[in-house]
Amino acid sequence: MSSQRLRLWLERDRRGAGYRLRDAATGDPVPWEDERIRVIAVAGVSFRADAVADASFDPGARLALLREPGNEHDPNAVAVWNEARTLQAGYVPRDVAPDLDGSEQAVSLWRAGEGLRVLIAPRDAWIGRPRR
């Protein structure tokens, strides 16, 4: 079995709310359920609505995933921050966080109302983003 580097292209949604995924090599759509990636709804964004509204969480923005082993509610907690690590949007859902190894990269895909969807991909994946 060949282990080729994952190459994704972010394609603007027709409604302008966010991005869909395409395989950069073939142009085929990549569903959010693809086993090579995770697309998650960030948990706890309703507590940080002002932060999530910041441009640093706009669709296409790179984000930081930070482990919180000292978190009193969940030792597996992984926080979702903007790339500069100045604003926190929330957390990776509790059922997904234990599966992450800490090497992943994250990109904001979709923001609607108080919701934020984030792409989590392997560190070596190439993610092409349209110019803003």
Side-chain angles (χ1 to χ4, degrees), residues 24-75:
T26 65
D28 294 336
V30 175
W32 286 5
E33 301 80 18
D34 188 291
E35 65 186 27
R36 300 169 295 173
I37 59 171
R38 300 272 185 151
V39 175
I40 56 119
V42 176
V45 295
S46 61
F47 300 107
R48 298 172 180 84
D50 289 344
V52 174
D54 188 83
S56 61
F57 291 104
D58 282 353
R62 296 214 181 264
L63 305 175
L65 300 175
L66 300 175
R67 294 188 163 287
E68 292 184 356
N71 184 301
E72 66 181 283
H73 302 288
D74 181 4

Side-chain angles (χ1 to χ4, degrees), residues 78-97:
V78 177
V80 179
W81 289 76
N82 62 356
E83 186 176 35
R85 298 180 184 184
T86 56
L87 294 170
Q88 182 183 2
Y91 288 90
V92 171
R94 184 183 293 258
D95 63 328
V96 175

Side-chain angles (χ1 to χ4, degrees), residues 17 40-42 45-46 49 52 57 108 110-118:
I40 56 119
V42 176
V45 295
S46 61
V52 174
F57 291 104
S108 174
W110 204 271
R111 183 172 53 196
E114 290 183 356
L116 179 66
R117 299 259 180 198
V118 170

